[in-house]
Amino acid sequence: MPQRTYKIGEVAGLTGLKPFVLRFWETEFPQLSPVRTQKGQRLYTDEHLELIHRIKTLLYEEKLTIDGARRRLADDSRDGPLLRQIYDELTAIRRLLDA
């Protein structure tokens, strides 16, 4: 089954970010590298969307610098998926309590 892809405008709408922010983040976060069509159009996957949401959380909610967010992403990949799942669940609980 082919993987769903999204154009930069769609991703901007889904994430609440401006396209120029997404393009800038591509230069700052090596993990965020969308596929390019022959015409140079960016195509993002669901995994890219998850990463963008993670970066947005690190920068806007946790108030990390870009360098700090880069380090946290590196730590996340090193710590494995279990710690990531625990973190996501605790973040969701915190959001529910804050609402």
Side-chain angles (χ1 to χ4, degrees):
M1 184 163 110
Q3 188 172 24
R4 170 91 163 97
T5 57
Y6 308 86
K7 295 179 182 176
I8 195 166
E10 293 174 296
V11 174
L14 291 169
T15 60
L17 297 166
K18 301 284 186 189
F20 74 87
V21 172
L22 295 168
R23 289 190 294 270
F24 175 70
W25 284 1
E26 288 175 26
T27 66
E28 296 297 322
F29 298 96
Q31 307 93 320
L32 184 58
S33 56
V35 177
R36 297 284 189 125
T37 66
Q38 287 182 342
K39 293 184 178 184
Q41 198 169 44
R42 292 167 169 81
L43 295 178
Y44 296 86
T45 63
D46 288 324
E47 288 79 21
H48 290 126
L49 281 176
E50 289 178 25
L51 178 59
I52 290 165
H53 283 295
R54 178 75 176 124
I55 293 169
K56 184 177 177 182
T57 298
L58 293 172
L59 295 176
Y60 296 170
E61 292 178 24
E62 296 188 26
K63 309 291 188 202
L64 294 178
T65 63
I66 288 178
D67 191 44
R70 214 182 288 122
R71 281 195 301 266
R72 179 76 62 85
L73 289 173
D75 289 347
D76 286 353
S77 66
R78 196 172 41 242
D79 291 337
L82 178 60
L83 289 179
R84 174 76 186 134
Q85 181 182 355
I86 292 168
Y87 176 83
D88 288 343
E89 289 175 11
L90 289 173
T91 302
I93 291 169
R94 186 171 74 192
R95 284 187 189 132
L96 288 172
L97 293 173
D98 290 341

